[in-house]
């Protein structure tokens, strides 16, 4: 990978001011595992601020590299390379080494000492071209001297990072990293002595935090949503950040009542709260007065409410107004007075918590208050989310790739179709969970627009963000499974014959055993669309079947369509007169033929819907229930037995369907 400084926007030169800040951040103060003196190999070296760096991301220092250099700038010692536990997995260490190698002469020597117990660090530097040159003993600890030329590092570059690695594959890496952390912790405990007890204890706490963060990152990766304690996030993550960033700022924490866990992403919520207080510090600095940030946390009925208030310059009233997306106008734009910025932090805050859960109030030149209101996660919620989550990840894992080829057997294709239908039925459950605050038919129509009408995934994502739901993770799951359904449907449309597999495609909906399923059927081509009755009406499918509704049939079934213990329903939308009624019965007859071609039992009974709009004197007799075979075999004059005089009192009445 070719190096370019613009590829590392978060790397900045280390300054004495940065050093002062770093000393106040516990997770960035690591001494016990490094060679105690930088002057062991060359006493002429000194701190080189031009080649020492920090990684500052959104106002937070996540790592730093302290380098010593000889006066001739030919030898560079990496004295400290530290990554915060909250920066693990970003490639910060690799970026520092590559950045350094590309800012010094290619024939320069870069070296460092590594404690021999830190096998992971030895492996890290070995993979970047460093070689072990010597071994020294200092205070009963052995240190490897490792060195490399800058040119060697340049040639190796950054290893390409894998994208979209399945969670199940990532688990092996997490297990490996966790084992390394446990090994380091074991070695730290072994080196405890009276002389170093306090310092090593601090490093044990730091490495323990790193281990927990590694596990939290993976937990977020596989679960998307889980129990998160806002109290712990504030006390263990946010307040230490504030103390390091501005020790003069007064911090007030008010716990009004016990705050139970909420459902969400540990890392996303953590980053969002850091963004809120980072903006608060900027606003306080702009106001030019002693800073006060107040956290108030408590439970109000069935919600956990957190407010973060600062005494900064505030946000103008016109910027607090909400746009069409129900998000204030300042989101996505800087809130730092005359300063420039893109407002990326505010976007992340709203993405993490969701617009319905955030309220922002402010008074210019006095204060700003963010209020986050999240539902309490109960045992019932936990069980529900665990069940939905396990199903979701099982589907996503098992359908990571399409297992079919041009040589696949009918059996393999049938299994693929039935699995696709399982995902679709599961998606109904996810849509149901929007019903408390929304009309689920509106949501399902958006899903259909994406699946059948070419609506982009980004458009679907934007639409679903507008609908309120207690647990935002369900929205994410619905998006994920719908995208996978659409991919698999597209594959089938492009690679199999509909007429050859239409029976399996229809019968696969029988898996929805406890649901009433409705469908709209093209009696000429056999094409159809199906859904749970709670989510759609027959008319919702008409735009996707390329015929006028009076050329289509309405249908309904429950349970296994191949069993003959319950009828399957067919019907039409309108009947104008006796002649039109005869044509509509022939249309239903065609529908029965299609169902038989799909493999339904010829003895299965056919029941008739009431016609939605009837202006004639005759109607279909809904009390008659011929078998599918009988219906398909009726001659034109035999269709008359399915007709009865219309109920004039209902003539022209439109039924909801």
């Amino acid at each position: 990978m070719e190096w370019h400084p613009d590829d590392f926007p978060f790397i900045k030169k280390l300054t004495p001011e940065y050093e002062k800040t770093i000393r106040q951040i516990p997770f960035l103060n690591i001494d016990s595992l490094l060679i105690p003196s930088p002057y062991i190999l060359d006493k002429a070296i000194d701190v080189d601020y031009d080649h020492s760096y920090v990684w500052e991301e959104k106002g937070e220092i996540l790592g730093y590299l302290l380098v010593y250099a000889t006066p001739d700038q030919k030898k560079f010692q990496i004295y400290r390379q530290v990554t915060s536990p909250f920066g693990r997995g970003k490639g910060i260490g690799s970026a520092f080494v590559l950045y350094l190698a590309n800012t010094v002469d290619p024939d320069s020597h870069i070296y460092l000492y590594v404690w021999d117990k830190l096998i992971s660090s030895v492996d890290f530097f070995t993979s970047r071209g460093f070689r072990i040159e010597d071994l020294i003993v200092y205070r009963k600890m052995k240190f490897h001297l490792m060195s490399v030329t800058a040119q060697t590092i340049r040639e190796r570059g950054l290893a390409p990072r894998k994208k979209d690695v399945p969670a199940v594959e990532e688990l092996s890496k997490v297990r490996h990293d966790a084992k390394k952390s446990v090994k380091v912790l074991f070695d730290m405990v072994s080196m405890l002595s009276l002389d170093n007890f306090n310092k090593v204890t601090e490093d044990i706490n730091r490495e323990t935090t790193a281990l927990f963060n590694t596990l939290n990152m993976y937990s977020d990766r596989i679960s998307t949503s889980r129990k998160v304690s806002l109290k712990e996030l504030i006390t263990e993550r946010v307040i230490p950040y504030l103390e390091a960033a501005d020790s003069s700022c007064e911090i007030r924490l008010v716990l009004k009542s016990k705050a139970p866990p909420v459902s969400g992403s540990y890392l996303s919520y953590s980053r969002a709260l850091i963004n809120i207080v980072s903006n608060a510090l900027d606003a306080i600095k702009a106001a030019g007065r002693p800073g006060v940030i107040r956290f108030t946390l408590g439970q109000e009925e069935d919600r956990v409410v957190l407010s973060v208030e600062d005494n900064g310059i505030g946000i103008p009233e016109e910027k607090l107004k909400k746009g069409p997306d129900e998000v204030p106008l300042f989101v996505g734009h800087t809130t730092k007075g005359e300063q420039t910025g893109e407002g990326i932090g505010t976007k992340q805050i709203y993405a993490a918590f969701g617009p319905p859960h955030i309220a922002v109030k402010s008074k210019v030149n006095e204060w700003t208050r963010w209020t986050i209101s999240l539902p309490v996660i109960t045992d019932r919620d936990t069980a529900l989310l665990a069940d939905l989550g396990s199903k979701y990840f099982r589907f996503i894992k098992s359908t990571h790739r399409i297992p079919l080829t041009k040589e696949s057997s009918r059996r393999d294709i049938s299994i693929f179709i039935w699995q696709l239908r399982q995902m679709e039925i599961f998606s109904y459950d996810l849509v149901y969970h929007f019903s408390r605050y929304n009309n689920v038919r509106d949501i399902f129509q958006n899903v259909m627009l994406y699946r059948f009408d070419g609506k982009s995934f980004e458009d679907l994502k934007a639409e679903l963000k507008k609908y309120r739901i207690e647990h935002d993770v369900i929205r994410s799951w619905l998006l994920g499974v719908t995208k996978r359904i659409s991919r698999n449907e597209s594959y089938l449309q492009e690679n199999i014959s509909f007429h050859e597999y239409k029976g399996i495609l229809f019968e696969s909906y029988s898996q929805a055993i406890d649901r009433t399923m409705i469908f709209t059927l093209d009696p000429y081509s056999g094409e159809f669309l199906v859904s749970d009755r709670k989510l759609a009406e027959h008319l919702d499918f008409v735009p996707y079947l390329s015929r006028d509704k009076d050329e289509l049939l309405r249908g309904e079934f429950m349970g296994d369509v191949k069993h003959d213990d319950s009828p399957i329903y067919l019907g039409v939308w309108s009947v104008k007169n006796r002649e039109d009624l005869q044509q509509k019965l022939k249309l239903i007859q065609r529908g029965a033929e299609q169902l038989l071609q799909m493999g339904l039992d010829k003895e299965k009974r056919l029941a008739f819907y009431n016609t939605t709009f009837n202006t004639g004197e005759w109607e279909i007799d809904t009390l008659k229930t011929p078998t599918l075979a009988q219906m398909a075999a009726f001659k034109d004059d035999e269709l008359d037995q399915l007709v009865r005089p219309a109920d004039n009192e209902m003539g022209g009445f439109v039924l909801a369907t």
Side-chain angles (χ1 to χ4, degrees):
M1 175 180 171
E2 186 178 351
W3 177 86
H4 193 280
D6 291 342
D7 294 333
F8 305 100
F10 303 125
I11 294 181
K12 302 176 182 179
K13 286 186 177 181
L14 178 69
T15 64
E17 289 74 20
Y18 274 128
E19 284 187 303
K20 181 180 178 181
T21 300
I22 288 169
R23 283 194 293 270
Q24 297 171 345
I25 302 176
F27 297 130
L28 294 179
N29 287 279
I30 306 170
D31 293 317
S32 61
L33 305 184
L34 298 171
I35 196 75
S37 171
Y39 305 107
I40 290 177
L41 186 64
D42 195 325
K43 299 187 183 304
I45 63 174
D46 200 357
V47 175
D48 184 355
Y49 284 109
D50 286 335
H51 297 102
S52 297
Y53 311 108
V54 297
W55 184 289
E56 184 182 15
E57 186 173 341
K58 299 178 181 177
E60 183 177 15
I61 298 176
L62 295 178
Y64 75 98
L65 183 77
L66 179 61
V67 173
Y68 282 66
T70 56
D72 61 0
Q73 295 281 289
K74 290 298 183 182
K75 294 181 180 179
F76 297 85
Q77 179 182 357
I78 297 176
Y79 184 53
R80 290 192 179 123
Q81 179 184 303
V82 183
T83 300
S84 164
F86 303 103
R88 296 283 175 92
K90 291 177 175 286
I92 294 175
S94 299
F96 277 150
V97 172
L98 184 61
Y99 201 97
L100 173 63
N102 280 275
T103 53
V104 301
D105 291 339
D107 60 347
S108 299
H109 281 269
I110 299 172
Y111 68 95
L112 76 159
Y113 289 92
V114 182
W115 185 36
D116 70 338
K117 297 290 187 182
L118 282 179
I119 304 301
S120 59
S121 293
V122 174
D123 291 344
F124 171 84
F125 288 107
T126 300
S127 69
R128 280 142 188 84
F130 286 78
R131 298 181 63 180
I132 297 175
E133 303 287 350
D134 197 4
L135 181 70
I136 71 165
V137 179
Y138 188 93
R139 292 183 180 177
K140 300 180 181 180
M141 295 173 63
K142 296 178 181 180
F143 292 88
H144 290 299
L145 169 62
M146 305 184 70
S147 69
V148 69
T149 63
Q151 182 62 31
T152 300
I153 297 175
R154 293 186 187 188
E155 291 171 353
R156 296 206 175 202
L158 277 178
R161 304 189 70 185
K162 295 181 180 179
K163 296 182 179 180
D164 298 325
V165 177
V168 66
E169 294 179 20
E170 191 175 330
L171 177 58
S172 60
K173 180 180 182 299
V174 172
R175 187 185 294 116
H176 176 68
D177 291 345
K179 284 182 178 179
K180 288 193 299 185
S181 290
V182 172
K183 178 67 167 60
V184 171
L185 286 168
F186 178 81
D187 290 329
M188 285 179 176
V189 172
S190 300
M191 65 181 287
L192 281 170
S193 68
L194 292 175
D195 295 333
N196 65 17
F197 184 84
N198 290 334
K199 185 67 193 91
V200 174
T201 299
E202 291 177 6
D203 289 330
I204 289 174
N205 289 335
R206 181 263 310 160
E207 192 61 35
T208 301
T209 300
L211 173 60
F212 285 151
N213 198 58
T214 296
L215 299 176
N216 281 331
M217 288 175 66
Y218 182 72
S219 182
D220 283 344
R221 172 82 163 86
I222 65 169
S223 301
T224 307
S225 182
R226 57 194 181 86
K227 286 185 178 181
V228 177
S229 169
L230 294 183
K231 178 182 175 182
E232 290 180 4
L233 275 182
I234 294 168
T235 57
E236 298 178 8
R237 182 82 166 96
V238 181
I239 291 180
Y241 166 80
L242 281 172
E243 291 173 338
D246 186 355
S247 59
S248 66
C249 182
E250 180 182 342
I251 302 171
R252 301 175 184 174
L253 175 60
V254 180
L255 300 176
K256 297 172 63 176
S257 61
K258 182 180 179 182
V262 295
S263 174
S265 164
Y266 174 87
L267 293 181
S268 293
Y269 284 5
S270 172
R271 169 58 62 191
L273 293 177
I274 291 292
N275 280 327
I276 289 175
V277 298
S278 176
N279 288 339
L281 291 176
D282 289 333
I284 290 169
K285 182 178 179 181
R289 52 176 169 258
V292 178
I293 296 181
R294 176 188 175 98
F295 298 91
T296 305
L297 178 67
Q299 181 175 353
E300 298 180 8
E301 297 181 349
D302 61 346
R303 307 187 76 79
V304 174
V305 180
L306 167 66
S307 71
V308 184
E309 183 175 331
D310 67 74
N311 64 335
I313 57 173
I315 303 173
E317 185 176 353
E318 60 271 16
K319 290 186 177 181
L320 293 173
K321 295 179 181 178
K322 294 184 178 181
D325 56 357
E326 293 301 311
V327 171
L329 298 178
F330 72 80
V331 175
H333 304 279
T334 181
T335 58
K336 302 167 186 172
E338 299 300 322
Q339 300 179 40
T340 59
E342 297 180 356
I344 296 175
T346 52
K347 287 183 178 179
Q348 191 276 333
I349 296 167
Y350 273 82
F353 294 118
H357 304 302
I358 301 174
V360 183
K361 294 184 178 180
S362 185
K363 188 171 184 180
V364 174
N365 296 323
E366 292 192 22
W367 53 268
T368 297
R369 183 189 307 118
W370 288 75
T371 301
I372 313 297
S373 176
L374 300 169
V376 172
I377 183 167
T378 64
D379 291 340
R380 181 174 178 273
D381 290 334
T382 302
L384 169 66
L385 293 175
D387 179 59
L388 292 176
S390 65
K391 290 178 181 177
Y392 172 77
F393 287 107
R394 185 178 73 245
F395 284 130
I396 295 301
K397 174 185 173 183
S398 62
T399 61
H400 177 64
R401 65 180 184 86
I402 294 176
L404 303 180
T405 66
K406 292 181 179 179
E407 289 73 35
S408 293
S409 65
R410 182 177 180 85
R411 176 180 178 276
D412 290 339
I413 294 173
S414 298
I415 291 172
F416 182 78
I417 291 171
W418 278 73
Q419 184 184 54
L420 167 63
R421 209 62 75 209
Q422 287 175 351
M423 284 197 294
E424 183 178 347
I425 294 168
F426 171 66
S427 74
Y428 302 159
D429 290 333
L430 299 177
V431 174
Y432 289 159
H433 288 286
F434 285 82
S435 62
R436 182 173 180 180
Y437 302 107
N438 310 279
N439 182 342
V440 291
R441 184 181 172 191
D442 293 339
I443 294 169
F444 190 69
Q445 284 178 331
N446 278 292
V447 170
M448 286 195 296
L449 282 171
Y450 168 66
R451 286 172 53 192
F452 308 134
D453 201 35
K455 184 174 187 171
S456 73
F457 183 73
E458 289 303 315
D459 286 341
L460 174 64
K461 190 175 181 180
E463 284 296 323
L464 290 188
K465 278 186 177 180
K466 298 177 182 178
Y467 296 98
R468 180 181 175 186
I469 190 169
E470 288 290 354
H471 303 292
D472 286 329
V473 65
I474 295 179
R475 188 193 335 268
S476 300
W477 290 338
L478 177 59
L479 286 166
V481 78
T482 300
K483 190 173 185 178
R484 188 59 53 85
I485 290 168
S486 178
R487 184 202 68 177
N488 289 7
E489 284 177 331
S490 297
Y491 178 87
L492 290 175
Q493 290 171 2
E494 295 168 5
N495 293 279
I496 72 167
S497 165
F498 169 77
H499 292 286
E500 185 178 351
Y501 285 93
K502 65 181 179 182
I504 297 171
L505 289 166
F506 189 76
E507 291 168 17
S508 58
Y509 282 102
S510 296
Q511 296 175 91
I513 297 174
D514 56 347
R515 306 171 195 260
T516 299
M517 306 296 288
I518 64 167
F519 62 93
T520 300
L521 172 69
D522 183 337
Y524 298 95
S525 68
E527 294 180 354
F528 58 86
L529 290 173
V530 185
S531 172
D532 189 314
R533 186 174 188 85
K534 296 177 182 177
L535 303 181
E537 296 181 3
H538 297 95
L539 274 173
D540 295 335
F541 299 129
V542 171
Y544 308 109
L545 289 173
S546 304
R547 289 188 186 275
D548 183 81
K549 68 180 178 64
D550 285 324
E551 298 178 289
L552 300 171
L553 295 174
R554 307 181 289 137
E556 178 181 307
F557 65 87
M558 186 172 183
D560 190 343
V561 294
K562 297 196 73 173
H563 290 176
D564 57 8
D565 53 352
S566 62
I568 188 167
Y569 283 80
L570 287 178
V572 296
W573 274 275
S574 66
V575 172
K576 299 176 183 177
N577 49 47
R578 184 67 177 82
E579 181 181 357
D580 186 41
L581 176 58
Q582 185 75 6
Q583 294 303 316
K584 295 299 171 59
L585 285 170
K586 289 183 178 181
L587 205 64
I588 293 174
Q589 189 175 46
R590 280 181 176 270
E593 292 171 356
Q594 289 288 351
L595 295 175
L596 289 171
Q597 291 175 22
M598 292 177 185
L600 271 66
D601 193 324
K602 62 182 182 180
E603 297 302 317
K604 189 175 183 67
R605 290 287 172 178
L606 174 65
F608 301 107
Y609 274 136
N610 280 309
T611 302
T612 306
F613 191 77
N614 190 354
T615 57
E617 296 181 355
W618 300 87
E619 65 182 7
I620 299 173
D621 188 349
T622 57
L623 299 179
K624 298 291 180 65
T625 57
T627 65
L628 288 176
Q630 289 172 337
M631 185 67 197
F634 280 146
K635 296 178 181 180
D636 288 357
D637 58 346
E638 292 177 323
L639 292 175
D640 291 342
Q641 62 185 289
L642 303 177
V643 173
R644 69 183 181 190
D647 184 347
N648 290 331
E649 293 183 4
M650 296 293 290
F653 186 76
V654 180
L655 300 174
T657 182

